């Protein structure tokens, strides 16, 4: 279930991307964080206890919102603009 | 044009933009490096793509200031070297290491203005890392920049002017605000009366936000002490104590914070001397009234130099750049300097009023439960910090970091260091200034290993 709720910008041009292999649509001007968290409620698992995390500061400081691309790159979701065709994966790291 | 001078400005918020404007007027061509894709900083952040909302929708009563600042930047855009989406990740010996477009640039400079801003100050309590909990600043960015509420039923918790502003902005945008939970007692707000003579507009706006929230049926509570956030993978409720009674409210998102903390890593790497700021309860770079640091040629302005807000940041950015122009032997407007310092002093005095009206809950540090996560990167608990103090005699933050990994994670202590300092101070029986501050380490934020090198830049 989506974490974020869109209140505005609903009619902007759609931007297609995929999340964990599923086709999704964001909006022009979305960050990756917005695009993902309007679809689901998590971005990654924490490094040690494996708790769900979904960002915190949204200004590039807390480093809580890292997510993977299908190519294996780590990107900071809150400061990365959504681009058409992005293939994103929420991070599910093994619990220690 | 003085070609020998190569000033560098870090940050394109209110302070950085006004500083750049002064330099351009003086005939200099500054380099402006900013992490965001467009100028404005956090408070006057611009959208990535135009939408149906007006500046008034986005910035409320500050729409005029936001538009003026954005316009000022447009006017100097061709007269500066602007690096958006770029990170200054180290500074030493008049050289800045910059990551721009995934490449490494070593940029020399003759003068440096640090306008690095601030992030929310938070105090951990049970459940604060649960998805759906965002900082107040983060909640505001979601709305302003992205047109999103952080949830369907949003609670705003903490203290500081941002608490009421963001709650009011959410209500205006059509979000459901479940409650505003102010950790300060209602009587603390009476201190705001002292601010009326110097900053009546700010005080009246604050009261208006609270009054309009209450008029629309939003529950505004005072003297709140949060106990826990419920919900495993998603916020489902917040529980708090108020007048000795426990209360619980269902919600699916929480905006949380206690004013701001300065971003000071680059000043530290540049070798600036720090002083303890009683009001911010934090160490910050020392500066003269103009913004000169202890290092010749390095200046600091805005919230990164101690928290004073956006209006002060604009004035301080201009003031610091005038100092730079003066120190470089160029002509500058003496009358303007006096005017800026007078207005800056008025705002800084008002900051004392705000701190009294929205006090930081310093006493909590001793009562947070041991099993609460303190460092959200390395997942270190409050109890681990206390044990380090009690069992290993740790009395200083860098020692604490070495032994427990608090502040060693990806955020490098941005989210936990103020709380870690408070908890360690309480556990070791010292005032908070005595535990010191975390030393900054380059790179100040994570960099991709694949970063390519461009070598020296002119």
């Amino acid at each position: 279930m989506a974490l974020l709720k869109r209140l505005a910008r609903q009619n902007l041009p759609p931007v297609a991307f995929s999340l964990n292999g599923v086709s999704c649509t964001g909006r022009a001007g979305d960050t990756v964080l917005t695009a993902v968290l309007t679809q689901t409620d998590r971005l990654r698992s924490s490094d040690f206890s494996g708790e769900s995390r979904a960002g915190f500061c949204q200004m590039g400081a807390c480093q809580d919102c890292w997510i993977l691309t299908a190519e294996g790159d780590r990107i900071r979701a809150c400061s990365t603009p959504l681009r058409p065709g992005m293939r994103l994966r929420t991070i599910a790291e093994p619990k220690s | 044009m003085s070609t020998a001078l190569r000033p560098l400005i870090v940050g394109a918020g209110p302070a950085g933009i006004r500083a750049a404007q002064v330099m351009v007027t003086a005939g200099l061509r500054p380099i402006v490096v900013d992490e965001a894709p467009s100028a404005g900083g956090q408070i006057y952040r611009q959208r990535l793509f135009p939408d149906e909302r007006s500046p008034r929708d986005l910035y409320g009563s500050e729409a005029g200031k936001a538009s003026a600042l954005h316009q000022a930047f447009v006017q100097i855009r061709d007269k500066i070297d602007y690096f958006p989406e770029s990170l200054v990740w180290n500074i030493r010996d008049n050289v800045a290491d910059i990551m721009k477009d995934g490449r490494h640039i070593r940029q020399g400079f003759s003068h440096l203005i640090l306008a690095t801003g601030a992030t929310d100050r938070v105090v951990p309590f049970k459940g604060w890392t649960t998805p759906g909990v965002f900082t107040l600043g983060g909640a505001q960015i979601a709305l302003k920049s992205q047109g999103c509420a952080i949830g369907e039923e949003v609670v705003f918790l903490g203290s500081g002017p941002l608490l009421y502003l963001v709650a009011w902005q959410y209500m205006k945008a059509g979000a459901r605000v479940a409650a505003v939970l102010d950790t300060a007692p209602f009587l603390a707000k009476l201190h705001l009366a002292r601010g009326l003579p110097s900053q009546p507009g700010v005080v009246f706006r604050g009261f208006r936000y609270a009054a309009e929230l209450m008029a629309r049926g939003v529950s505004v509570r005072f003297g709140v002490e949060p106990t826990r956030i419920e919900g495993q993978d998603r916020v489902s409720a917040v529980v708090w104590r108020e007048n000795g009674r426990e209360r619980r409210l269902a919600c699916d998102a929480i905006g949380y914070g206690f004013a701001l903390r300065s971003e000071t890593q680059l000043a530290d790497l540049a070798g600036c001397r720090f002083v303890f700021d009683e009001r911010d309860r934090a160490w910050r770079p020392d500066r003269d009234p103009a913004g000169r640091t202890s290092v010749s040629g390095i200046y600091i302005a805005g919230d990164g130099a101690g928290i004073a807000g956006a209006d002060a940041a604009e004035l301080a950015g201009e003031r610091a750049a005038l100092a730079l122009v003066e120190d470089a032997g160029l002509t500058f407007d003496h009358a303007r300097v006096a005017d800026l310092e007078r207005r800056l002093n008025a705002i800084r005095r008002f900051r004392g009023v705000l701190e009294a009206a929205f006090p930081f809950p310093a006493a909590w540090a001793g009562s947070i439960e041991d099993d609460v996560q303190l460092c959200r990167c390395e997942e270190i608990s409050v109890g681990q910090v206390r044990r380090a103090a009690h069992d290993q005699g740790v009395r200083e933050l860098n020692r604490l970091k070495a032994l427990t990994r608090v502040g060693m994670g990806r955020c490098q202590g941005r989210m936990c260091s103020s709380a870690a300092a408070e908890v360690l101070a309480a556990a070791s029986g010292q005032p908070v200034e005595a535990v010191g501050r975390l030393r900054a380490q380059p790179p100040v934020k994570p960099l991709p290993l694949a970063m390519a090198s461009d070598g020296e830049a002119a």
Side-chain angles (χ1 to χ4, degrees):
Chain A
M1 192 166 127
L3 195 78
L4 301 181
K5 182 187 180 187
R6 288 189 193 275
L7 298 173
R9 303 175 58 252
Q10 312 260 23
N11 300 319
L12 298 187
V15 176
F17 70 100
S18 73
L19 179 63
N20 299 328
V22 178
S23 295
C24 302
T25 308
R27 300 280 183 279
D30 277 2
T31 61
V32 165
L33 183 140
T34 298
V36 173
L37 293 182
T38 48
Q39 305 285 336
T40 185
D41 58 8
R42 67 194 298 277
L43 294 169
R44 56 183 275 263
S45 304
S46 67
D47 291 344
F48 301 96
S49 64
E51 288 176 356
S52 288
R53 293 287 177 86
F56 186 56
C57 81
Q58 299 209 33
M59 58 180 90
C62 76
Q63 317 299 326
D64 199 78
C65 66
W66 290 80
I67 187 171
L68 290 174
T69 66
E71 294 75 30
D73 295 324
R74 273 173 192 269
I75 54 175
R76 197 169 57 206
C78 76
S79 52
T80 307
L82 179 69
R83 286 185 294 274
M86 270 184 156
R87 294 186 297 157
L88 304 169
R89 281 165 42 205
T90 52
I91 301 177
E93 281 162 1
K95 296 187 182 189
S96 60
Chain B
M1 171 78 64
S2 314
T3 48
L5 296 181
R6 194 66 168 140
L8 173 67
I9 300 171
V10 184
I17 292 175
R18 292 304 180 195
Q21 203 177 16
V22 167
M23 289 189 210
V24 167
T25 304
L28 301 172
R29 187 179 180 90
I31 304 159
V32 179
V33 183
D34 190 51
E35 284 191 77
S38 52
Q42 301 304 344
I43 181 89
Y44 303 130
R45 184 191 268 245
Q46 301 194 57
R47 291 161 289 190
L48 296 170
F49 193 88
D51 59 48
E52 72 279 8
R53 295 173 297 166
S54 69
R56 184 89 198 163
D57 291 334
L58 289 176
Y59 307 111
S61 64
E62 310 305 278
K65 290 176 194 168
S67 298
L69 192 74
H70 295 153
Q71 196 52 41
F73 190 78
V74 169
Q75 279 166 7
I76 59 169
R77 176 68 190 80
D78 295 339
K79 302 180 181 76
I80 64 174
D81 292 309
Y82 173 47
F83 298 177
E85 293 184 271
S86 300
L87 173 73
V88 175
W89 55 269
N90 192 18
I91 288 172
R92 63 202 141 88
D93 305 331
N94 282 55
V95 174
D97 289 297
I98 303 172
M99 180 177 68
K100 178 178 186 289
D101 302 326
R103 303 188 73 82
H104 175 209
I105 300 170
R106 280 174 50 83
Q107 178 64 57
F109 58 81
S110 62
H111 298 78
L112 173 67
I113 292 190
L114 294 168
T116 47
T119 60
D120 294 77
R121 179 170 52 171
V122 290
V123 180
F125 68 104
K126 199 164 282 184
W128 74 291
T129 57
T130 310
V133 184
F134 292 94
T135 62
L136 286 169
Q140 192 185 41
I141 287 165
L143 182 65
K144 273 195 306 202
S145 152
Q146 299 289 293
C148 290
I150 56 173
E152 299 273 350
E153 293 275 349
V154 186
V155 164
F156 292 97
L157 168 66
S159 203
L162 207 53
L163 179 70
Y164 292 88
L165 172 63
V166 182
W168 182 83
Q169 288 172 325
Y170 265 60
M171 180 183 78
K172 282 284 177 190
R176 281 224 294 276
V177 179
V180 175
L181 305 180
D182 191 332
T183 56
F186 175 73
L187 287 177
K189 301 298 176 280
L190 299 182
H191 287 287
L192 290 169
R194 287 191 284 128
L196 275 171
S198 66
Q199 306 284 324
V202 179
V203 174
F204 280 123
R205 263 202 307 281
F207 276 110
R208 199 186 108 212
Y209 296 146
E212 288 189 24
L213 283 159
M214 289 189 236
R216 292 271 286 271
V218 173
S219 176
V220 180
R221 318 295 307 181
F222 298 94
V224 163
E225 188 168 351
T227 311
R228 64 182 183 274
I229 288 166
E230 295 181 353
Q232 187 63 41
D233 291 319
R234 176 82 188 261
V235 172
S236 61
V238 59
V239 182
W240 73 93
R241 293 189 70 76
E242 181 188 328
N243 296 325
R245 301 226 329 260
E246 191 168 274
R247 292 173 178 272
R248 181 180 181 280
L249 180 66
C251 61
D252 65 357
I254 296 172
Y256 179 54
F258 298 93
L260 303 173
R261 52 158 288 282
S262 302
E263 280 281 297
T264 60
Q265 292 87 357
L266 292 178
D268 193 6
L269 293 174
C272 299
R273 184 176 63 233
F274 277 54
V275 292
F276 187 75
D277 188 312
E278 296 280 346
R279 200 162 53 195
D280 290 349
R281 297 182 68 81
W283 289 84
R284 61 158 173 82
D286 198 5
R287 49 170 161 74
D288 75 0
R292 293 178 182 89
T293 68
S294 63
V295 178
S296 172
I298 300 185
Y299 308 78
I300 191 157
D303 281 341
I307 304 305
D311 292 353
E314 284 195 52
L315 302 170
E318 186 179 350
R319 179 65 192 93
L322 286 168
L324 185 158
V325 168
E326 177 185 9
D327 297 346
L330 303 171
T331 54
F332 69 102
D333 184 347
H334 288 264
R336 182 70 184 158
V337 163
D339 180 49
L340 288 169
E341 291 200 356
R342 185 184 54 75
R343 290 158 68 193
L344 273 169
N345 281 333
I347 295 177
R348 284 175 183 149
R349 277 197 302 276
F350 182 63
R351 263 282 296 156
V353 172
L354 286 178
E355 206 54 50
F358 302 100
F360 179 76
W364 290 6
S367 60
I368 308 169
E369 297 95 325
D370 274 346
D371 61 345
V372 169
Q373 247 180 45
L374 176 66
C375 168
R376 60 189 289 136
C377 299
E378 298 293 298
E379 301 184 64
I380 308 301
S381 70
V382 169
Q384 283 171 276
V385 169
R386 291 196 182 120
R387 280 195 294 280
H390 295 151
D391 303 346
Q392 294 169 288
V394 172
R395 299 172 62 80
E396 190 271 329
L397 272 182
N398 293 289
R399 184 78 185 137
L400 180 74
K401 176 180 171 182
L403 290 175
T404 65
R405 307 200 319 274
V406 158
M408 207 180 274
R410 290 192 188 97
C411 91
Q412 301 194 25
R414 284 178 177 81
M415 295 298 117
C416 69
S417 63
S418 48
E422 300 283 353
V423 170
L424 179 60
S428 59
Q430 305 176 90
V432 69
E433 61 265 37
V435 304
R437 62 191 174 84
L438 286 177
R439 282 187 296 270
Q441 305 287 346
V444 298
K445 286 189 181 177
L447 299 175
L449 274 175
M451 184 169 68
S453 177
D454 272 3
E456 305 281 336

